[in-house]
Amino acid sequence: MTEPQIDSAGLLLGEMKGQLRELIHNLNTMSAKIDSLTERVIGASGLPGKVRELEERIAALEADKNKRDGAMGFGSWLLRSPAIAWLATAGVAIWALLKGKA
């Protein structure tokens, strides 16, 4: 009767050894993943500087676009202005009158 107890104790011991090996394997895998992430974080240390440079470039491009839009808006308004059209017509008429008398 003592033999079945030895077998069950041996089975339990073997099962515990297997679980311990699996735990060690999982720990080693997790350690490798953490090491890989650490290397990536160290490799990305220059990223904030690059982001800052890109933000400055974007701000400069937006300022240039706003200036261009403002100039184009003023030019468009100038071309569509009835007062400018009347002044241009009057100028051409005066020039034609002076040119015709000469």
Side-chain angles (χ1 to χ4, degrees):
M1 283 205 155
T2 58
E3 233 174 70
Q5 291 174 350
I6 293 173
D7 286 337
S8 65
L11 289 175
L12 285 175
L13 185 60
E15 186 177 336
M16 288 174 61
K17 283 182 180 180
Q19 288 178 354
L20 183 61
R21 283 188 186 128
E22 185 178 343
L23 184 63
I24 290 170
H25 176 68
N26 287 340
L27 183 64
N28 288 337
T29 303
M30 189 66 65
S31 176
K33 288 180 181 179
I34 289 174
D35 290 343
S36 173
L37 286 173
T38 302
E39 289 176 11
R40 287 185 183 182
V41 168
I42 290 171
S45 62
L47 193 59
K50 290 179 183 178
V51 169
R52 195 174 313 112
E53 289 174 12
L54 287 175
E55 286 175 347
E56 290 172 0
R57 290 178 65 190
I58 289 171
L61 289 172
E62 286 176 345
D64 185 47
K65 181 185 179 299
N66 289 337
K67 286 179 187 176
R68 188 178 309 123
D69 287 347
M72 295 299 272
F74 178 72
S76 175
W77 172 82
L78 196 61
L79 289 175
R80 288 184 284 153
S81 171
I84 299 297
W86 280 104
L87 286 175
T89 305
V92 168
I94 291 172
W95 179 75
L97 286 174
L98 293 177
K99 185 83 172 170
K101 287 185 180 182

